[in-house]
Amino acid sequence: MNEVKTKVRINKYDNLKGLAIFMIVLGHMAFLRKYDSISFIHDFVFLFDLPLFFFVAGYFSKIGPDEPVKAFKRLFVPFVIFRVLFELFSIFYLGKPPSNQMFIRPGYMLWFLICLFIMKMLLPIFDKFRYPLVTAFILALLIGFIKCNILGISRVFTFMPIFLIGFYFKDYQSKLETNYKRLNGLLNKKSTIILIAIIALLISIIVAYELPFRHIILKHPYHDFLIDIIYRIIVLGISTLNVLVLNKIMTNSSNIFTKFGRASLTVYLLHGYIIILSKLYLKPVFANYPRRFIAFIFIFSFIITFILSRDIFTNILNKLFDGANNLILKNN
């Protein structure tokens, strides 16, 4: 199922990734200070940014004999390289002691790469289930009973339903158009789309205000079974709804987010160092100016994303990754 997908670049999905990477930078910038309004920002964007990335990654994923090697080259090798670079940065610049679990616990931001790599390895297994999405959703709830941060495993299973929605999206869309024509027509009405978008936005605001961040981040094991599992269902549900709404309304025309999206991996891998330096040198500046700080993080996040999405940085990383892959793998 869904094994053949187009190789043509689609602006719409680059735009989704571009919006997501800007939100990720914004969310990480918001951690610089502890204001209620700032906390709301990083809680709110988390309901959009990573779900969007996993959805788009699933949409363009395939099942085939060459896919494990491609995933190794595009995800695992960058993970190893940047885990080593970050370890060196932590030791020689930040003065931290060496980690004895450097690759087992990916740590700062790099967990996403190894999670996505594992998801792609698990994709053929999930595809063999009769109801892969239902299976993934059940596992997303069950993983909360286990304390397991090794290789980001908890998030692998937590976000797997959204990844699979992206992977099977064309199949689901085709079935909706063929078997549920009236419902499909209703969902394509402008008034319905606007109504659903408003509902999704309002629910996201409420969730960001009311739920503790430890529940929104979908990382920590359950403390209170009933409450925690309800919160996880709510967060997964609204995150999925946000992804589907944005996928519906996102334009296919080229814009600034298109460039951000095409360089999203570069921005993701490099922006963390700027965030860390910002914590060291900029955090004290806004200690007593929360409103100015809010304006600052929006502007600075845009500047970071804009600068790091320039071709020069992507070209440097591509040469670095290509060189590493050539050393590791045979060239056919």
Side-chain angles (χ1 to χ4, degrees), residues 18-213:
L19 176 61
I21 194 59
F22 170 72
M23 284 184 165
I24 283 178
V25 177
L26 177 64
H28 287 152
M29 282 295 299
F31 280 113
L32 295 187
R33 296 227 61 91
K34 296 290 184 182
Y35 303 125
D36 289 342
S37 52
I38 297 298
S39 297
F40 168 77
I41 290 174
H42 65 60
D43 290 6
F44 181 77
V45 299
F46 195 86
L47 298 171
F48 295 84
D49 52 13
L50 289 170
L52 274 174
F53 265 129
F54 283 118
F55 171 82
V56 175
Y59 185 88
F60 288 102
S61 292
K62 302 175 183 179
I63 295 176
D66 297 332
E67 295 310 307
V69 174
K70 291 179 180 178
F72 180 86
K73 293 167 66 175
R74 297 171 183 172
L75 296 169
F76 190 80
V77 169
F79 164 73
V80 171
I81 291 174
F82 269 82
R83 189 62 190 90
V84 172
L85 290 176
F86 185 74
E87 184 71 8
L88 295 174
F89 176 76
S90 298
I91 294 171
F92 293 105
Y93 189 84
L94 302 179
K96 294 184 178 181
S99 171
N100 58 1
Q101 296 181 321
M102 186 168 67
F103 297 108
I104 296 176
R105 298 184 185 276
Y108 194 63
M109 302 185 195
L110 294 173
W111 65 268
F112 174 79
L113 295 181
I114 195 64
C115 278
L116 189 53
F117 174 75
I118 295 173
M119 282 178 172
K120 287 178 177 287
M121 296 301 99
L122 292 176
L123 184 55
I125 298 175
F126 274 91
D127 191 55
K128 293 184 184 298
F129 286 98
R130 185 171 184 179
Y131 302 106
L133 186 56
V134 174
T135 303
F137 182 73
I138 292 172
L139 291 174
L141 299 182
L142 292 178
I143 197 67
F145 291 102
I146 304 172
K147 186 177 181 180
C148 183
N149 291 324
I150 295 174
L151 296 177
I153 290 297
S154 61
R155 282 168 159 177
V156 169
F157 288 101
T158 303
F159 283 106
M160 196 70 186
I162 298 176
F163 177 80
L164 290 178
I165 289 174
F167 180 71
Y168 293 112
F169 184 76
K170 287 184 179 180
D171 294 339
Y172 295 149
Q173 191 174 42
S174 178
K175 290 179 180 178
L176 183 63
E177 293 171 354
T178 303
N179 301 330
Y180 304 95
K181 294 182 179 180
R182 293 183 64 180
L183 176 60
N184 183 62
L186 179 64
L187 292 175
N188 281 315
K189 285 186 176 181
K190 187 175 181 179
S191 57
T192 305
I193 296 171
I194 293 174
L195 177 61
I196 294 175
I198 292 173
I199 292 172
L201 179 62
L202 291 175
I203 295 175
S204 298
I205 292 172
I206 294 170
V207 169
Y209 264 121
E210 298 297 332
L211 265 64
F213 184 63

Side-chain angles (χ1 to χ4, degrees), residues 199-297:
I199 292 172
L201 179 62
L202 291 175
I203 295 175
S204 298
I205 292 172
I206 294 170
V207 169
Y209 264 121
E210 298 297 332
L211 265 64
F213 184 63
R214 66 171 301 273
H215 294 292
I216 295 176
I217 201 172
L218 297 174
K219 172 184 177 181
H220 302 289
Y222 300 146
H223 287 172
D224 185 323
F225 161 66
L226 183 59
I227 297 298
D228 288 6
I229 203 166
I230 290 173
Y231 283 167
R232 179 159 295 197
I233 292 172
I234 291 172
V235 172
L236 279 174
I238 188 56
S239 297
T240 300
L241 183 59
N242 287 335
V243 165
L244 295 176
V245 168
L246 286 172
N247 181 64
K248 187 70 177 178
I249 67 177
M250 180 58 73
T251 177
N252 195 44
S253 61
S254 180
N255 54 59
I256 187 65
F257 287 112
T258 313
K259 182 65 175 177
F260 290 175
R262 291 180 179 177
S264 57
L265 179 61
T266 303
V267 178
Y268 188 86
L269 290 172
L270 296 179
H271 84 280
Y273 296 92
I274 300 177
I275 301 297
I276 293 173
L277 295 176
S278 299
K279 286 183 178 180
L280 293 176
Y281 301 112
L282 296 178
K283 186 176 180 179
V285 177
F286 296 94
N288 299 313
Y289 304 98
R291 291 184 180 178
R292 294 182 187 178
F293 183 66
I294 292 174
F296 166 75
I297 64 170

